[in-house]
Amino acid sequence: MPADMIKLLSANGAIPSRDCARHREALRRSLPDGLILVSGGEEIVRNNDVHYAFRQHSNFLYLAGVPEPGYRLLLDPRSGQDILFIPRIDTDHRVWLGHVAGPAETKRRFGVAEVRFQDELPGILAKLRKRYRLCYADPQAWSATRKEFGTLVNKTEKLAEALETLRAVKTPGEIELLGRANEVSAQGHLAVMRAARPGMREYELQAEFEAVCLRRGLKHQGYQPIVAAGRNGAVLHYHHNHDVLRARELLLIDAGAECGGYAADITRTFPIGGRFSQRQKDIYSIVLDAQKQCIERARPGVLSGDLHLHATRVLAEGLRHLGFLKGSIDELVLSGAVRIFFPHGIGHMLGLDVHDSLGGKRRQIPAPPHLRLRFNARLEPGFVITVEPGIYFNEALIRHKQLRRRHKGRVDFSRAEKFLDFGGVRIEDDIVIRPFGRPLNLTRVPKETAAVEAACRKAQ
Ligand SMILES: [Mn+2]
């Protein structure tokens, strides 16, 4: 994304209200025969009068762009009218929490033609429902206003399905936000590479990453950062982040901030001492090769399951070359032997949720069972996916009795055991599928071994 485009976005990067208006219009068009009511999130009590940090529901961000709690959105497809309902805020609330936008300001800020207070919703529903037999209300909205919907039949699953379908294809505005989340997160990753020293704790690197994001106005992480030194790198969703970094070990960091709700999802693996050992380089190069080949192949019409299959084959070849696997590539893939070292999918959709909409039922294609894939869809222009192959020496898998028996002739388990302290390598970028030609890689963090070493050396 050009730098001038990035500057156009505000510090915390709200979704442009014209994009939300388009999302609402698309939803009205896909559900033309019923009143649509969508709830924003409410604050959740942690204890007494302390709440968890509020993060708006993704569907509500998509349709309204409102980051605060206590809102609802009503879409009336027959009239094309949208009404945003805001909480009626009392003085006490203002004393503690300061300014809260009233109707006029809300209209300007979110570009919704009509803004009303929440307590007006029942009266308005009672009037509008007369023109319909159906409604599409999410479960929260339905349980709060069921009475006011009268005899309307609620098709809540159709609403969820329609939003799933729409959210899969990202608009240019959404891609800008994903790009901005990536740009800031990239700086976080570089800061982490520069800061890492033997003797530090994993959480110090987490602090480094989050500080960069926060300083740039991104308050939320898309998910709990994974900062995993040495053998922790083999734990796919490691989250303790409290171990000591040791010289000659690898550090795997999977972290991404969100911007306007849109998440970056980036993983890098680098040597804590700033230099890859030969055996680290051997494994790393296989993963990098698989990743680059899969990115190159991420084009419209390609099945995401075929990307996964391709990655599996490249990893199998590399691992066979290094003596961890034996036999034909077909057999290693079909038998599931490669899964001992690559026990997850090649990637997932990315958007307002880090594991975003799979695109709706219509797009799901059942994958061959031996691949064990949740995400198998034909890629379309506007899809944003992660591409994240990895090789892990995971103790639970390598010491698994049944797996050892099943793959006895295919996997050199005693060789794998010698690598248990190695941990894992994962390399993950965020990729936009374009209508023609090569995909757009939003992630600009060094990944070639020489560039990674250079980034680690910078301040040393
Ligand atoms: Mn991911």
Side-chain angles (χ1 to χ4, degrees), residues 187-224:
Q187 292 180 8
H189 276 272
L190 283 172
V192 165
M193 287 180 188
R194 274 199 293 274
R197 299 279 184 287
M200 283 175 96
R201 295 269 176 176
E202 292 162 342
Y203 53 69
E204 293 179 73
L205 296 183
Q206 179 181 352
E208 201 72 36
F209 184 85
E210 291 187 12
V212 169
C213 302
L214 203 46
R215 259 187 226 118
R216 299 285 303 270
L218 304 192
K219 286 194 277 187
H220 292 285
Q221 296 291 309
Y223 52 97
Q224 284 266 86

Side-chain angles (χ1 to χ4, degrees), residues 120-225:
E120 298 177 86
L121 176 61
I124 291 172
L125 271 183
K127 242 189 272 163
L128 294 181
R129 75 178 188 219
K130 289 177 188 143
R131 308 177 55 197
Y132 292 94
R133 284 180 36 238
L134 296 180
C135 66
Y136 301 97
D138 64 38
Q140 293 108 298
W142 179 245
S143 69
T145 52
R146 176 179 226 137
K147 232 176 47 216
E148 286 76 23
F149 275 112
T151 55
L152 298 197
V153 178
N154 186 26
K155 301 272 184 186
T156 190
E157 271 155 38
K158 284 217 163 145
L159 171 65
E161 173 70 14
L163 283 162
E164 274 262 306
T165 304
L166 290 173
R167 276 177 51 189
V169 175
K170 272 69 182 177
T171 59
E174 292 181 286
I175 291 167
E176 267 180 50
L177 291 168
L178 286 162
R180 164 100 177 137
N182 255 276
E183 193 232 3
V184 173
S185 302
Q187 292 180 8
H189 276 272
L190 283 172
V192 165
M193 287 180 188
R194 274 199 293 274
R197 299 279 184 287
M200 283 175 96
R201 295 269 176 176
E202 292 162 342
Y203 53 69
E204 293 179 73
L205 296 183
Q206 179 181 352
E208 201 72 36
F209 184 85
E210 291 187 12
V212 169
C213 302
L214 203 46
R215 259 187 226 118
R216 299 285 303 270
L218 304 192
K219 286 194 277 187
H220 292 285
Q221 296 291 309
Y223 52 97
Q224 284 266 86

Side-chain angles (χ1 to χ4, degrees), residues 303-306 360-378:
L303 266 178
S304 58
D306 285 345
K361 286 195 200 95
R362 189 176 55 84
R363 290 193 177 99
Q364 314 276 354
I365 298 167
H370 70 272
L371 292 181
R372 301 222 185 141
L373 286 181
R374 270 167 298 176
F375 172 46
N376 193 39
R378 249 172 236 297

Side-chain angles (χ1 to χ4, degrees), residues 290-305:
Q291 204 236 12
K292 291 197 313 199
Q293 288 196 36
C294 287
I295 292 173
E296 200 52 43
R297 284 159 186 256
R299 316 228 171 172
V302 171
L303 266 178
S304 58

Side-chain angles (χ1 to χ4, degrees), residues 223 237 254 265-267 346-350 354-355 386-388 426 428-430:
Y223 52 97
H237 281 176
D254 183 343
D265 186 3
I266 304 172
T267 309
I346 184 65
H348 50 84
M349 299 280 260
L350 184 69
V354 64
H355 293 177
T386 65
V387 176
E388 49 177 314
R426 178 166 66 251
E428 177 180 30
D429 288 349
D430 302 341

